[in-house]
Amino acid sequence: MIKYMSCFKNLKLSTNQLLFFTCCYIALILNLPFLIKSATVITALDHYNLFFLVSLPIFLLALTIIIQGLFSFRWLTKPLLIATVICSALIFYGTISYGIVFDYGMVQNTLETDTAEAWSYINFHAIIFFIFFGLIPSFIIYSVQLTYKPFFKELLSRLKIFSVSLATVLLIGVFFYSNYAAVGRNNKNLITYITPYKMVVSSFKFVRNHYFYPPLEFKVLDTAPSIVRDSQKKHVTVMVLGETARAQSFSLNGYSKRTNPYTEKQGVVSFSNMSSCGTATAVSVPCMFSRLNKAGYDKRVAMAQQNAVDLIHLAGADVLWISNNNGSCKGVCTRVKTQQIDTKKSNPLCDGEYCYDEALLAPLKNKLNRLTHENTMIVLHMIGSHGPTYFKRYPKDKRVFIPDCQRSDIQNCTQEQLINSYDNTIAYTDLVLSKIINELNQVADKNDIETSLLYISDHGESLGENGLYLHGLPYAFAPEEQTHVPMIYWNDPMQNDFDLNCLKTSAKSPITHDNVFDTLLSIMSVRTKAYNIDNDPFIQCKSQGAIARTTITEEKTMEIQD
């Protein structure tokens, strides 16, 4: 291999020739996902123009030459082409292996990913793939000798290839404009597969939005929220923030495999028709705690105003956020007490990079034994079912479904192994939820305290359906596996604000992450003008006295505002 590679050191090319050959590689090889998906869409039409289909790779090549040619000049040629090839090869691997699309949301998710999670994607298959499609072509580009013409001749030569490429684009546009317009309008997702330019544009927008826009003035939704309860007992709510759990894999929701053997015996209510705000943690977590709804969600705006956690804390509750997810709380817990599970600590539940979610039980129990306020909310942020290393999310003695997938390149496991591995994560989550409920039952019996639990996942997961893996696809065309998420509610017999039988009856009604804000305020009995009674799915099952206590009338709202 080295012998053959050394031959390229004697190869001499002009900058235009190197530009052309590299662009051919980028457009025709590294953009195969785009070309294949586009061809599939075109050939599925009742009537399609064969010449239009043939024009697509030519059109993409001409555009690639124009884009790369704008910046690849003289000594900049090699570095920019190598950078483009390496970047494109990484995207190519993600798209080919997992069906990942590198749009704005995925760029945000990638940049906010912790080191341990990033390393979970590194495996033998990925390394070989990257060497073959990224490093070897880059070495060839680096090795060839470039011959430079005098500046003006070089410029004239570049103008020629520009002119030919531009003429090609215009000519194809003239003959096939209606075809491109029709396919583009009806399949807007196709543009997200163009490598690497969609990611470059998305990265630019992310950097601009996060580092160059001035910070927004912080908006206070309510200066004086309060908690109003008739009961003199202390109240504790544990909100469990799930990770990458999809509702389809919960036997509580009708899944054929028994993935919820523990909680099904504890009288929980499963809301089987819940949809997420996003398909990645970076979007869904801040969105679900925000007053903004999915349609109007903007992270900059959400981060610059009070969220549900802030209002509950300001109302007088003791709020503690305990995280076993290295991705942090995405800004939601900035103004409340937080505790991060130490993965490096000597703990049989931890391996140095990750901890099983049972590690959340010790700090939870410690907090329950040391309650300082009349009202307490504890948020437990799980690592849940986060892939691709699903097998690291549950102990070996909790492998309920076998054979499972014991590797990170999950696309090389059988469908049975992959689904078994994922289902093991759901079954393990169910075990942890059951143990949390047991802890709440114990503290309720021992100290006569009202307790409740709310579990919600941030987004779902694709497990090879239609060739897609993991999550993070643009919401507009994300499959249901990535957007249909579980929500579970439980309260102890002493907690009588809600009629559980009523909740079980209404649990099949469609709700979304947009309802979480008001649901949390309702469970915690927070009286605030930020609460929207029409957005509370629990309200119909709440006692009239509880409704009266936590609902602010129009006159009272005006009084607070004044």
Side-chain angles (χ1 to χ4, degrees):
M1 174 65 75
I2 297 175
K3 179 181 178 181
Y4 289 115
M5 296 290 289
S6 63
C7 296
F8 290 101
K9 292 183 178 181
N10 300 320
L11 179 62
K12 294 182 179 181
L13 296 175
S14 67
T15 53
N16 276 352
Q17 288 174 326
L18 181 61
L19 173 66
F20 176 77
F21 291 129
T22 305
C23 287
C24 284
Y25 177 65
I26 294 170
L28 306 181
I29 301 300
L30 299 182
N31 267 284
L32 273 175
F34 167 74
L35 295 174
I36 292 172
K37 288 182 179 294
S38 299
T40 301
V41 168
I42 294 170
T43 54
L45 299 173
D46 293 334
H47 302 284
Y48 70 90
N49 189 324
L50 180 61
F51 293 104
F52 165 53
L53 180 62
V54 173
S55 75
L56 188 64
I58 300 173
F59 186 80
L60 181 61
L61 173 58
L63 279 178
T64 304
I65 291 173
I66 292 172
I67 295 171
Q68 290 297 139
L70 284 172
F71 306 100
S72 301
F73 196 77
R74 287 189 171 262
W75 60 272
L76 284 175
T77 303
K78 285 187 177 183
L80 288 176
L81 291 179
I82 289 173
T84 304
V85 166
I86 288 177
C87 181
S88 299
L90 291 172
I91 297 173
F92 186 43
Y93 174 75
T95 305
I96 286 288
S97 300
Y98 304 117
I100 293 174
V101 173
F102 287 84
D103 66 337
Y104 185 93
M106 183 55 69
V107 168
Q108 178 180 347
N109 205 40
T110 301
L111 293 178
E112 294 181 3
T113 295
D114 65 282
T115 305
E117 183 181 334
W119 275 107
S120 70
Y121 290 88
I122 306 300
N123 51 66
F124 180 76
H125 180 262
I127 293 171
I128 296 299
F129 191 102
F130 180 63
I131 290 174
F132 188 80
F133 287 100
L135 292 185
I136 292 178
S138 296
F139 180 78
I140 293 173
I141 295 171
Y142 173 78
S143 298
V144 297
Q145 296 182 40
L146 286 183
T147 58
Y148 298 111
K149 299 177 182 178
F151 179 78
F152 287 106
K153 286 187 177 182
E154 185 89 14
L155 183 61
L156 180 62
S157 179
R158 181 57 53 86
L159 288 175
K160 287 180 181 179
I161 194 171
F162 253 81
S163 300
V164 172
S165 300
L166 184 59
T168 301
V169 169
L170 294 175
L171 193 62
I172 291 175
V174 168
F175 282 100
F176 303 110
Y177 172 77
S178 60
N179 301 87
Y180 277 94
V183 171
R185 278 195 300 266
N186 296 324
N187 302 274
K188 294 181 180 180
N189 62 304
L190 288 177
I191 195 172
T192 60
Y193 287 94
I194 297 180
T195 303
Y197 308 112
K198 178 62 179 178
M199 192 206 71
V200 172
V201 172
S202 298
S203 299
F204 170 78
K205 290 180 179 179
F206 179 84
V207 171
R208 178 198 64 190
N209 293 350
H210 286 74
Y211 301 106
F212 290 94
Y213 278 173
L216 298 174
E217 182 179 353
F218 192 82
K219 181 179 180 180
V220 176
L221 301 180
D222 194 345
T223 58
S226 59
I227 295 177
V228 185
R229 294 184 185 276
D230 284 342
S231 174
Q232 299 302 310
K233 299 176 182 178
K234 288 185 177 181
H235 175 90
V236 177
T237 287
V238 173
M239 181 189 179
V240 183
L241 181 54
E243 174 68 49
T244 323
R246 64 185 202 174
Q248 296 94 327
S249 298
F250 277 57
S251 57
L252 287 171
N253 297 330
Y255 185 48
S256 59
K257 293 162 72 174
R258 199 158 171 252
T259 52
N260 302 113
Y262 303 100
T263 58
E264 68 181 13
K265 301 174 183 177
Q266 294 174 305
V268 301
V269 180
S270 178
F271 291 78
S272 59
N273 202 358
M274 160 74 89
S275 298
S276 66
C277 182
T279 61
T281 306
V283 174
S284 285
V285 170
C287 181
M288 77 167 77
F289 286 93
S290 168
R291 175 70 284 176
L292 305 176
N293 57 29
K294 177 184 176 299
Y297 176 72
D298 182 289
K299 187 174 182 180
R300 291 183 71 243
V301 177
M303 292 297 100
Q305 63 180 237
Q306 288 174 309
N307 57 47
V309 171
D310 293 325
L311 289 169
I312 292 169
H313 176 58
L314 187 61
D318 183 18
V319 179
L320 174 63
W321 187 293
I322 307 174
S323 180
N324 188 37
N325 190 309
N326 291 331
S328 75
C329 64
K330 306 302 179 185
V332 175
C333 63
T334 302
R335 293 168 289 277
V336 298
K337 290 181 291 185
T338 61
Q339 183 177 342
Q340 179 72 44
I341 299 296
D342 186 3
T343 61
K344 300 294 191 296
K345 189 176 180 180
S346 178
N347 188 330
L349 294 170
C350 304
D351 64 5
E353 291 184 345
Y354 299 105
C355 294
Y356 299 126
D357 279 324
E358 282 180 279
L360 290 165
L361 297 175
L364 170 65
K365 189 171 185 177
N366 182 61
K367 180 63 178 177
L368 293 176
N369 289 333
R370 293 171 174 80
L371 296 176
T372 58
H373 291 58
E374 293 300 309
N375 295 280
T376 303
M377 186 174 84
I378 305 166
V379 181
L380 303 178
H381 193 177
M382 288 180 151
I383 195 169
S385 304
H386 203 293
T389 51
Y390 304 119
F391 67 96
K392 291 186 177 182
R393 305 294 168 253
Y394 51 91
K396 290 183 179 180
D397 62 348
K398 299 299 188 295
R399 295 170 66 193
V400 182
F401 308 105
I402 54 176
D404 56 353
C405 179
Q406 293 282 319
R407 53 197 296 177
S408 62
D409 52 336
I410 54 178
Q411 71 279 8
N412 292 319
C413 288
T414 66
Q415 190 70 2
E416 179 190 16
Q417 290 173 329
L418 178 57
I419 291 177
N420 281 343
S421 189
Y422 182 82
D423 288 346
N424 282 333
T425 69
I426 301 299
Y428 181 65
T429 291
D430 191 67
L431 172 65
V432 176
L433 291 178
S434 175
K435 289 189 174 185
I436 294 171
I437 290 174
N438 289 339
E439 291 293 340
L440 291 175
N441 268 325
Q442 288 181 24
V443 74
D445 294 340
K446 182 179 179 181
N447 302 306
D448 198 21
I449 296 174
E450 295 179 343
T451 59
S452 63
L453 173 143
L454 181 69
Y455 167 84
I456 305 174
S457 181
D458 56 354
H459 55 78
E461 187 87 329
S462 288
L463 299 174
E465 298 89 358
N466 300 311
L468 299 176
Y469 296 87
L470 304 176
H471 54 268
L473 278 180
Y475 202 96
F477 61 97
E480 186 179 12
E481 289 80 12
Q482 296 188 28
T483 61
H484 185 197
V485 295
M487 173 169 143
I488 295 172
Y489 177 75
W490 170 90
N491 63 29
D492 72 86
M494 304 300 293
Q495 161 72 277
N496 57 9
D497 272 354
F498 301 106
D499 182 341
L500 287 184
N501 290 326
C502 173
L503 285 176
K504 289 177 181 178
T505 301
S506 63
K508 293 183 180 180
S509 300
I511 55 174
T512 72
H513 276 168
D514 291 349
N515 300 102
V516 174
F517 183 94
D518 299 288
T519 299
L520 285 173
L521 296 179
S522 182
I523 292 173
M524 291 299 296
S525 296
V526 175
R527 186 180 176 92
T528 170
K529 63 183 179 181
Y531 170 73
N532 181 358
I533 191 172
D534 296 327
N535 206 44
D536 179 4
F538 282 31
I539 193 65
Q540 59 186 320
C541 301
K542 200 169 190 178
S543 67
Q544 290 301 313
I547 295 175
R549 292 195 304 273
T550 56
T551 303
I552 296 180
T553 63
E554 184 177 349
E555 292 78 10
K556 184 63 178 177
T557 299
M558 294 176 64
E559 180 183 317
I560 292 176
Q561 290 175 332
D562 291 340

